[in-house]
């Protein structure tokens, strides 16, 4: 089987984009995305997709025992004191509040993961 490239993986999430645009925050991507041939992830993971309009902001709590990864797909996103550009990723491995601020329209994925002990 051929490897799944980033664009193809994101295309599989396209059907959730409408819900992400209408939501006030990230929308959790259901487990059925991908179907047959999809990559299996053997991890305690919650995957969220979000589209934010320019100037909007939201907070995301990284709870104790959890970590987060943000992958910016499009636009610019401020995360606390860091600004992400398209293709950038940011890892958070401690419990804290992430303050997300859209700098223009942006799209991102947020992975909420259990920490390995």
């Amino acid at each position: 089987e051929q490897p799944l490239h980033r664009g193809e993986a994101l295309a599989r999430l396209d059907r959730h984009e409408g819900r992400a645009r209408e939501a006030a925050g990230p929308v959790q991507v259901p487990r059925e995305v991908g179907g047959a041939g999809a990559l299996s992830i053997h991890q305690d993971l919650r995957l969220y997709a979000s589209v934010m309009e320019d100037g909007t902001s939201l907070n995301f709590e990284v709870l104790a025992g959890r970590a987060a990864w943000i992958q910016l797909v499009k636009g610019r996103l401020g995360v606390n004191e860091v600004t992400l550009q398209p293709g950038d990723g940011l890892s958070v491995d401690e419990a804290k509040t992430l303050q997300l601020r859209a700098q223009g329209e942006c799209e991102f994925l947020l992975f909420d993961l259990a920490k390995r002990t």
Side-chain angles (χ1 to χ4, degrees):
E1 187 168 324
Q2 296 294 319
L4 186 64
H5 297 284
R6 185 179 135 202
E8 294 171 286
L10 294 176
R12 291 183 181 189
L13 296 172
D14 279 349
R15 67 181 180 207
H16 300 287
E17 183 178 327
R19 283 194 307 158
R21 284 189 183 281
E22 296 168 6
V27 174
Q28 188 168 358
V29 176
R31 291 180 172 257
E32 70 270 6
V33 170
L39 175 67
S40 294
I41 300 174
H42 301 284
Q43 174 73 286
D44 178 358
L45 164 75
R46 294 180 196 103
L47 173 60
Y48 299 89
S50 187
V51 177
M52 292 175 63
E53 299 297 325
D54 184 30
T56 59
S57 62
L58 61 92
N59 291 338
F60 184 87
E61 290 291 325
V62 179
L63 302 176
R66 309 284 301 170
W69 177 270
I70 297 174
Q71 185 68 47
L72 187 63
V73 177
K74 174 183 166 186
R76 291 170 39 108
L77 178 68
V79 182
N80 296 355
E81 62 280 343
V82 176
T83 299
L84 302 179
Q85 305 289 333
D88 286 349
L90 178 71
S91 174
V92 178
D93 62 358
E94 60 188 43
K96 69 187 311 182
T97 300
L98 299 179
Q99 298 171 337
L100 309 172
R101 295 170 315 285
Q103 300 171 3
E105 182 181 73
C106 66
E107 298 178 25
F108 63 92
L109 299 173
L110 191 154
F111 299 79
D112 177 359
L113 306 144
K115 277 185 160 181
R116 290 187 174 207
T117 56

